[in-house]
Amino acid sequence: MKITENFTDKAEIYAQYRPSYPNEYIDYLLSANQLKGEQIVADIGSGTGILSRQLLEKGMNVIGVEPNDDMRKMAEESLSIHSRFKSIKGTAENTTLKGNSVDLVTVAQAFHWFDKKAFKIECQRIVRQKANVALVWNSRDLTSPIIQENAEICQRTCSSFKGFSGGMEETQDVFNSFFKDGKYEFKKYQNDLVFDYKGFLGRNLSASYAPKKHDEKYKEFVYLLSELFEKYSNNGKMVLQNITRSYLGNV
């Protein structure tokens, strides 16, 4: 299966249960990049449009670039009310955007899927002079017992599980080689998530590695997650420790 097909048949559940980003982070993006309404943000690997929506609500012009048909169509439907939104079928390495045409590139929850060298070259082509690239993730706090036990369930029942967010490499070298001269600004925000059982299950089922209903391990996956929720929930709610991490700089 191609990487671009990892979320096929998961667009609806992804859109419903994936978290958004803190308002503080969105405000930081706008101020740090001196963005105004007439400027253009290219949201690469835009998926169902979670970050795109937040930028549009701040008055930005947003171009969503997404290769997966299911995810892109979901974004197009849900964001159709925004006249400032444009949707394009393209990849991180070949966005099809015009050269020297965007004022900020954003990548939310997707950089770990990209060919990083090819994406860097594409960013250099499409950004206007001195425009930045912002990489951002909502990440589980791996020091949390809930998250650790959640990972154990995934290891047991999900054959393609290599760690949360695709087992992405988060070494300093990755960011040093991507950003120009290894210089970037790092920001971290606490973004804990509160779920009821349906939301907790949906968040897990939205992952690329999660089994689908017809898969052999699906029932076991759901059963173990229900046990985990029962163990840690209080009055029908569970708090998942979550951190939003941002890396911003020139490429």
Side-chain angles (χ1 to χ4, degrees):
M1 179 188 288
K2 293 180 181 178
I3 287 175
T4 55
E5 296 173 3
N6 281 346
F7 293 98
T8 296
D9 299 329
K10 294 192 176 185
E12 186 172 349
I13 199 167
Y14 192 106
Q16 190 171 359
Y17 296 113
R18 283 296 179 110
S20 57
Y21 300 89
N23 289 330
E24 187 183 358
Y25 170 67
I26 303 300
D27 290 341
Y28 158 72
L29 268 188
L30 270 59
S31 63
N33 296 285
Q34 299 180 323
L35 293 178
K36 299 172 184 175
E38 71 275 8
Q39 293 173 303
I40 297 171
V41 179
D43 191 17
I44 311 299
S46 49
T48 60
I50 292 172
L51 179 60
S52 292
R53 179 189 301 278
Q54 291 184 268
L55 292 168
L56 288 163
E57 288 171 350
K58 291 289 186 177
M60 292 293 100
N61 291 296
V62 180
I63 303 173
V65 179
E66 172 56 47
N68 184 280
D69 293 339
D70 286 357
M71 303 284 273
R72 192 180 62 259
K73 287 174 184 175
M74 178 68 69
E76 290 168 354
E77 289 173 11
S78 66
L79 299 178
S80 61
I81 60 171
H82 294 279
S83 61
R84 290 172 177 261
F85 180 66
K86 182 179 180 182
S87 178
I88 289 178
K89 180 172 184 174
T91 64
E93 302 80 11
N94 181 23
T95 63
T96 76
L97 299 177
K98 293 179 180 179
N100 190 36
S101 64
V102 303
D103 301 289
L104 175 68
V105 169
T106 57
V107 183
Q109 223 70 24
F111 182 68
H112 49 284
W113 299 116
F114 297 171
D115 178 325
K116 295 168 180 62
K117 289 183 179 178
F119 176 57
K120 178 174 181 172
I121 292 169
E122 181 69 347
C123 286
Q124 291 169 336
R125 185 184 71 80
I126 65 174
V127 296
R128 294 194 171 113
Q129 189 176 12
K130 296 184 179 179
N132 289 319
V133 177
L135 312 177
V136 63
W137 285 270
N138 271 319
S139 298
R140 296 166 178 85
D141 183 348
L142 299 179
T143 65
S144 163
I146 300 175
I147 305 300
Q148 292 169 1
E149 291 179 41
N150 202 157
E152 289 169 6
I153 291 171
C154 294
Q155 288 169 345
R156 178 171 166 179
T157 57
C158 308
S159 59
S160 61
F161 180 74
K162 298 177 182 176
F164 296 122
S165 292
M168 60 185 180
E169 301 172 15
E170 289 194 66
T171 62
Q172 203 69 41
D173 290 345
V174 171
F175 301 114
N176 286 344
S177 61
F178 180 72
F179 289 104
K180 186 177 181 181
D181 300 324
K183 294 179 180 179
Y184 56 88
E185 185 171 62
F186 173 70
K187 293 281 187 180
K188 186 164 92 171
Y189 305 86
Q190 196 68 31
N191 189 23
D192 290 347
L193 310 173
V194 180
F195 289 115
D196 58 13
Y197 172 67
K198 185 178 179 183
F200 175 65
L201 182 61
R203 174 64 185 87
N204 276 275
L205 289 171
S206 74
S208 61
Y209 49 77
K212 299 176 183 178
K213 282 189 176 180
H214 60 268
D215 292 335
E216 181 184 352
K217 291 283 188 177
Y218 177 83
K219 288 184 178 180
E220 183 183 1
F221 183 62
V222 171
Y223 173 73
L224 292 173
L225 288 173
S226 67
E227 283 196 323
L228 183 64
F229 184 84
E230 186 67 27
K231 179 179 178 181
Y232 285 106
S233 62
N234 185 25
N235 293 324
K237 300 290 184 181
M238 173 190 273
V239 178
L240 284 187
Q241 287 70 37
N242 186 75
I243 297 167
T244 298
R245 294 172 301 106
S246 164
Y247 304 79
L248 177 72
N250 293 140
V251 297

